[in-house]
Amino acid sequence: MKILGIETSCDETAAAVIENGTKILSNVVASSLELHAKTGGIIPEVAAREQLKSIIPVIETSLKNAKLSTKDVDAIAVTNGPGLIGSLFIGVETAKTLAYSWSKPIVPTNHLFGHIYANWLENPNPPAFPTLALLVSGGHTELVLLHSHDKFEWLGGTRDDAAGECFDKTARLLGLPYPGGPQIQKAAEKAENIDNSLPRPMSDSKDFDFSFSGLKSDVARRVADKTLSQQEVCNLAASIQAAVVDSLLIKTKKAVEKYKVKEVLLAGGVAANKHLQEEAKKRLQVKVYSAPPRLCTDNGAMIGAAAFFQYKPVPWQEIKADSGLFF
Ligand code: KG4
Ligand code: ZN
């Protein structure tokens, strides 16, 4: 089955064709990142306006790259939430129109499930249930126990900022451009020492929740009214990265032990972080999956994969964008 996956929940406009949930026939991502780098973050109206311009060319390119015509597509999957409502509308309304005019089934797809299913793409040894997902992105930090394709159990999540948001906000405090996560990773590689006194909030709590706003405030206090040298920026970047990764892995390890899972999936943009991947492998002592970086950040391929494994088409009239969609 060949599914056209469409993703427009945040600043990317993406479309991909995926065969049987695992094989990438094409994967096109247009990003308005440069515009957002100028403003230091995403302005929703700017993102939606860019998506409106690029959605049709991106879909056309995804079909062309897959060497397919519309008649070869078996279904259309589209992210219907969570995300920025104006951005979601662009994808959902386009997908509805195509489903109607091409007479294809349409599958509303949860963006968070998409991130999780990125681990099934081009993976000769895909995850096996039960498995634990640590979903870390710009908007989410969630621990989810996956019993089967039909049964996901949410264990806990952030009480305030998401891990990616923490990277983005602290990077900005250090004078690094948006998006902050990759910049923090790059700067951290040049660090000469790490300050382990940065807070790891909620590390001792018995639940599976996280908190990152205290780390951001702590960094803000440390840099206030100071001009940091390049070396100080790199050292602080590594200290921030260490604090975020510690916070994430302390709770993930607790969940691995409690639920006795034999594998963990890293998912979402922050899963591209090398330090997180390396430390997860060292500390969790179970098999750790992470997709290549281009499949960790937002893309249409993960939407095509999720729609295949959770195939629930609806009449095109019934699909609705839902910015607050969750597990
Ligand atoms: O999944 P994603 O593309 O969009 C959302 O659904 O939010 O994630 C974007 C987030 C941003 O906060 C970005 O800074 C972070 O993922 N990110 C990283 C890395 N690459 C992207 N964070 C840490 N290390 C990275 N290498
Ligand atoms: Zn995402």
Side-chain angles (χ1 to χ4, degrees):
M1 172 180 252
K2 297 186 186 75
I3 299 184
L4 169 67
I6 299 174
E7 153 64 41
T8 63
S9 68
C10 192
D11 57 335
E12 270 91 8
T13 310
V17 184
I18 302 304
E19 190 168 5
N20 297 335
T22 56
K23 190 168 177 211
I24 302 176
L25 302 184
S26 68
N27 188 21
V28 182
V29 181
S31 173
S32 49
L33 210 64
E34 280 165 24
L35 285 175
H36 305 306
K38 278 188 208 146
T39 48
I42 296 167
I43 299 176
E45 289 78 7
V46 174
R49 231 177 288 137
E50 290 305 305
Q51 285 164 323
L52 192 54
K53 282 190 228 158
S54 49
I55 184 87
I56 298 296
V58 163
I59 292 172
E60 280 172 345
T61 310
S62 74
L63 290 173
K64 190 169 147 242
N65 291 358
K67 298 188 176 58
L68 297 175
S69 72
T70 55
K71 68 175 186 329
D72 305 311
V73 170
D74 298 298
I76 299 170
V78 62
T79 301
N80 67 325
L84 302 170
I85 193 68
S87 294
L88 289 168
F89 272 143
I90 310 276
V92 167
E93 293 308 312
T94 306
K96 268 162 79 168
T97 310
L98 295 181
Y100 171 72
S101 57
W102 297 350
S103 304
K104 306 283 180 190
I106 186 164
V107 186
T109 303
N110 184 320
H111 181 78
L112 305 177
F113 292 15
H115 275 305
I116 288 170
Y117 278 101
N119 285 289
W120 269 258
L121 287 165
E122 303 291 351
N123 186 349
N125 299 302
F129 299 113
T131 184
L132 180 72
L134 172 65
L135 169 52
V136 272
S137 69
H140 289 270
T141 306
E142 322 288 346
L143 267 173
V144 190
L145 187 59
L146 314 180
H147 297 277
S148 68
H149 288 302
D150 300 322
K151 194 173 167 211
F152 286 10
E153 183 186 348
W154 180 80
L155 303 179
T158 185
R159 301 256 181 107
D160 41 56
D161 291 352
E165 187 180 0
C166 178
F167 277 134
D168 295 338
K169 288 180 174 169
T170 53
R172 193 174 177 159
L173 291 169
L174 300 186
L176 298 171
Y178 178 86
Q183 298 289 334
I184 295 249
Q185 174 174 311
K186 208 164 122 202
E189 282 162 12
K190 297 188 212 120
E192 285 173 350
N193 58 61
I194 289 183
D195 179 351
N196 278 318
S197 70
L198 262 63
R200 276 91 169 135
M202 294 189 72
S203 295
D204 296 328
S205 70
K206 293 214 165 19
D207 50 32
F208 293 110
D209 287 349
F210 305 88
S211 167
F212 290 101
S213 68
L215 172 56
K216 175 192 63 194
S217 314
D218 190 273
V219 173
R221 270 195 300 277
R222 283 170 197 249
V223 303
D225 306 323
K226 275 201 199 127
T227 311
L228 299 174
S229 69
Q230 267 189 352
Q231 191 56 55
E232 283 171 325
V233 167
C234 294
N235 293 349
L236 203 42
S239 309
I240 293 164
Q241 184 175 257
V244 171
V245 167
D246 272 355
S247 299
L248 293 173
L249 293 182
I250 288 167
K251 289 293 169 80
T252 309
K253 188 154 179 66
K254 270 188 194 167
V256 166
E257 284 163 3
K258 177 165 180 192
Y259 294 99
K260 299 187 174 40
V261 289
K262 297 198 173 56
E263 47 177 70
V264 167
L265 317 185
L266 303 179
V270 179
N273 186 270
K274 277 200 213 122
H275 183 63
L276 173 61
Q277 293 177 6
E278 286 163 9
E279 289 300 306
K281 281 179 194 141
K282 257 192 248 164
R283 297 193 212 174
L284 301 177
Q285 297 189 328
V286 292
K287 185 165 183 181
V288 175
Y289 291 90
S290 58
R294 76 195 157 88
L295 298 176
C296 288
T297 49
D298 291 351
N299 63 83
M302 67 187 201
I303 301 304
F308 175 81
F309 290 108
Q310 302 199 348
Y311 191 75
K312 293 183 197 95
V314 298
W316 65 266
Q317 297 90 334
E318 284 175 21
I319 184 167
K320 279 201 180 71
D322 177 358
S323 61
L325 195 65
F326 200 55
F327 284 93

